[in-house]
């Protein structure tokens, strides 16, 4: 190559580079146009019309093109949904929801929350599966099978808005309380309920985490949500929930969740912990009762004969506080004798209830009471004294000294009831002075210790 030819090539290349550079100002290259095409051109029906075909039991096979739209409400990004996609018919004010079984994880990457999707159900099954209407593949083992990952695009496609996948800002359907949410019309829909909090049994005496761990591995865990009206429902969290180690929030506020049912059991599902906005103060759905005529004395006998009617829960001279659960000490009568009673039989969940008796410890020397048990299946009674509890205040914050061992609490009969008998005498130490309370604590569980306790003749002597 001679020098003239070489210079000619170099000059030409330089000129071309200058020409290209001059076409772009400040490194601002033109964005190539997005070529967004909807796989299914148009819907043929509404989701509501499609779902209405589901039989009361079993399933049907969709044999023709049935195309409808939906908006994704679930997300498996944090592990609380597994190989399912829940979606509803509208981004706000939805009327129906559905669940799709898919043999694929990380679905949030393709179909994030709010994704506008279009489904052609031809070749899929539609039916009721374990309490929920679902669509899925033909399966030799299950009535509604998981759609293989390699075939998912045959049935589901995102809807384009000209700039790629259309993702809507969902507005949860606002419901009045948790009982309203337990309705099949809301299954697989995103809802929001106000004035919700975790049950006291989930945060007291130990503040639990979203899931339990066994040998370091997360397990599927139920926690209980309650509202200001006393309604409750299970919040179900997967053992793979990435936020499972977080402590349950103690406050009160709005709960956003996807409504779910497994067979006949309602279990609500969150996508992430921020779905629970519990920044407000807790509402006590079972507040302490009585406590309006507190008088500290070093000499008295309470035999409950002056109270009526049966099942009375309000005693002005004492505090009846259902710290966990909603059961209180109640007035009962047997053989013309009145006493108070509490048990967890036929209950749901844990119960911790206190009966607080005011005492002038400076003037008092002894404490006595009568006790009886029925259908004993575990110890349910403890006795404490405290000097820093304020009537109708937070009894969980009180410093309690356990004096149960000074008394004899029956451990029989296993069936039926015994008789009220003296539990013993506690000699109040001289060092214990000032005003305080004797606390009778009942601890039971509808699925555990359900022993019935009866107390009578609570006596303090100088």
């Amino acid at each position: 190559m001679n020098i003239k030819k070489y210079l000619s090539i170099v000059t030409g290349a330089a000129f071309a580079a200058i020409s290209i550079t001059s076409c772009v100002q400040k490194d601002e290259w033109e964005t190539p146009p997005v070529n967004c095409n909807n796989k299914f051109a148009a819907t043929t029906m509404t989701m509501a019309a499609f779902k209405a075909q589901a039989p009361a039991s079993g399933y049907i096979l969709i044999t023709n093109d049935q195309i409808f739209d939906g908006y994704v409400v679930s997300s498996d990004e944090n592990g609380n949904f597994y190989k399912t996609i829940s979606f509803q018919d509208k981004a706000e004010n939805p009327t129906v929801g559905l669940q799709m079984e898919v043999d694929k994880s990380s679905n949030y990457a393709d179909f994030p929350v709010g994704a506008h999707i279009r489904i052609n159900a031809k070749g899929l099954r539609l039916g009721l599966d374990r309490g929920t209407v679902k669509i899925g593949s033909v399966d030799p083992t299950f009535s509604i099978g998981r759609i293989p990952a390699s075939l998912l695009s045959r049935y589901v496609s995102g809807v384009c808005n000209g700039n790629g996948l259309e993702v809507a800002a969902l507005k949860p359907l606002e419901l009045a309380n948790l009982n309203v949410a337990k309705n099949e019309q809301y299954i697989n829909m995103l809802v929001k309920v106000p004035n919700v909090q975790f049950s006291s049994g989930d945060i007291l005496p130990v503040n639990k985490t979203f899931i339990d761990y066994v040998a370091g591995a997360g397990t599927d865990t139920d926690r209980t949500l309650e509202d200001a009206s006393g309604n409750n429902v299970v919040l179900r969290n997967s053992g793979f929930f990435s936020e499972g180690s977080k402590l349950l929030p103690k406050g009160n506020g709005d709960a956003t969740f996807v409504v779910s049912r497994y067979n006949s059991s309602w279990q609500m599902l969150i996508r992430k912990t921020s779905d629970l906005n519990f920044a407000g103060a807790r509402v006590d759905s079972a507040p302490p009762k009585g406590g309006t005529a507190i008088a500290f004395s070093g000499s008295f006998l309470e035999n409950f004969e002056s109270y009526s009617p049966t099942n009375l829960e309000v005693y002005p001279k004492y505090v009846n506080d259902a710290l966990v659960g909603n059961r209180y000490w109640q007035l009962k009568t047997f053989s013309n004798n009145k006493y108070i009673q509490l048990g967890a039989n036929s209950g749901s969940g844990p119960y911790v209830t206190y009966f607080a008796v005011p005492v002038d410890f400076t003037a008092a020397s002894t404490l006595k009471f009568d006790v009886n048990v029925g259908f004993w299946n575990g110890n349910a009674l403890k006795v404490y004294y405290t000097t820093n509890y304020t009537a109708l205040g937070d009894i969980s914050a009180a410093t309690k000294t356990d004096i149960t061992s000074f008394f004899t609490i029956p451990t029989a009969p296993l069936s039926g009831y015994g008789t009220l008998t003296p539990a013993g005498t506690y000699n109040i130490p001289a060092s214990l002075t000032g005003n305080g309370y004797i606390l009778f604590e009942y601890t039971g569980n509808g699925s555990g210790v359900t022993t019935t306790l009866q107390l009578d003749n609570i006596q303090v002597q100088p």
Side-chain angles (χ1 to χ4, degrees), residues 8-51:
S8 176
I9 293 173
V10 171
T11 302
F15 179 77
I18 292 170
S19 299
I20 293 172
T21 304
S22 67
C23 293
V24 180
Q25 300 297 322
K26 299 180 182 179
D27 296 326
E28 294 178 359
W29 297 82
E30 289 186 10
T31 303
V34 175
N35 185 17
C36 184
N37 297 310
N38 291 320
K39 181 170 183 177
F40 309 121
T43 60
T44 62
M45 63 196 315
T46 64
M47 185 195 297
F50 175 79
K51 184 179 179 180

Side-chain angles (χ1 to χ4, degrees), residues 42-97:
T43 60
T44 62
M45 63 196 315
T46 64
M47 185 195 297
F50 175 79
K51 184 179 179 180
Q53 301 174 102
S57 62
Y59 58 86
I60 60 172
L61 178 66
I62 306 301
T63 58
N64 62 319
D65 288 327
Q66 296 192 15
I67 305 172
F68 58 92
D69 280 3
Y71 292 85
V72 175
V73 298
S74 63
S75 173
D76 58 1
E77 183 174 7
N78 294 302
N80 235 12
F81 289 80
Y82 181 69
K83 294 190 174 182
T84 63
I85 301 175
S86 294
F87 52 98
Q88 60 191 31
D89 62 339
K90 300 175 184 177
E92 60 179 273
N93 296 319
T95 63
V96 68

Side-chain angles (χ1 to χ4, degrees), residues 199-202 204 208 224 323-327 344 347-352 443-447:
S199 70
S200 53
D202 282 338
L204 292 171
K208 297 177 181 178
T224 302
L323 177 66
V324 177
N326 58 1
R327 292 198 172 184
S348 173
Y351 299 97
V352 179
T443 301
N445 196 306
S447 59

Side-chain angles (χ1 to χ4, degrees), residues 197-198 203-204 206-207 247-252 278 280-283:
Q197 61 196 19
F198 281 102
I203 61 173
L204 292 171
V206 176
N207 195 167
L247 292 174
L248 299 176
K250 293 183 177 181
N252 177 286
F278 290 177
R282 283 183 66 81
V283 175

Side-chain angles (χ1 to χ4, degrees), residues 212-229:
D212 294 329
Y213 292 84
V214 177
T219 61
D220 293 348
T221 305
D222 291 343
R223 299 299 186 216
T224 302
L225 295 175
E226 62 182 21
D227 62 26
S229 302

Side-chain angles (χ1 to χ4, degrees), residues 176-179 194-196 226-232 283-286 326:
N177 57 56
L178 293 175
N179 252 16
N195 296 320
V196 173
E226 62 182 21
D227 62 26
S229 302
N231 306 306
N232 60 73
V283 175
D284 194 345
S285 59
N326 58 1

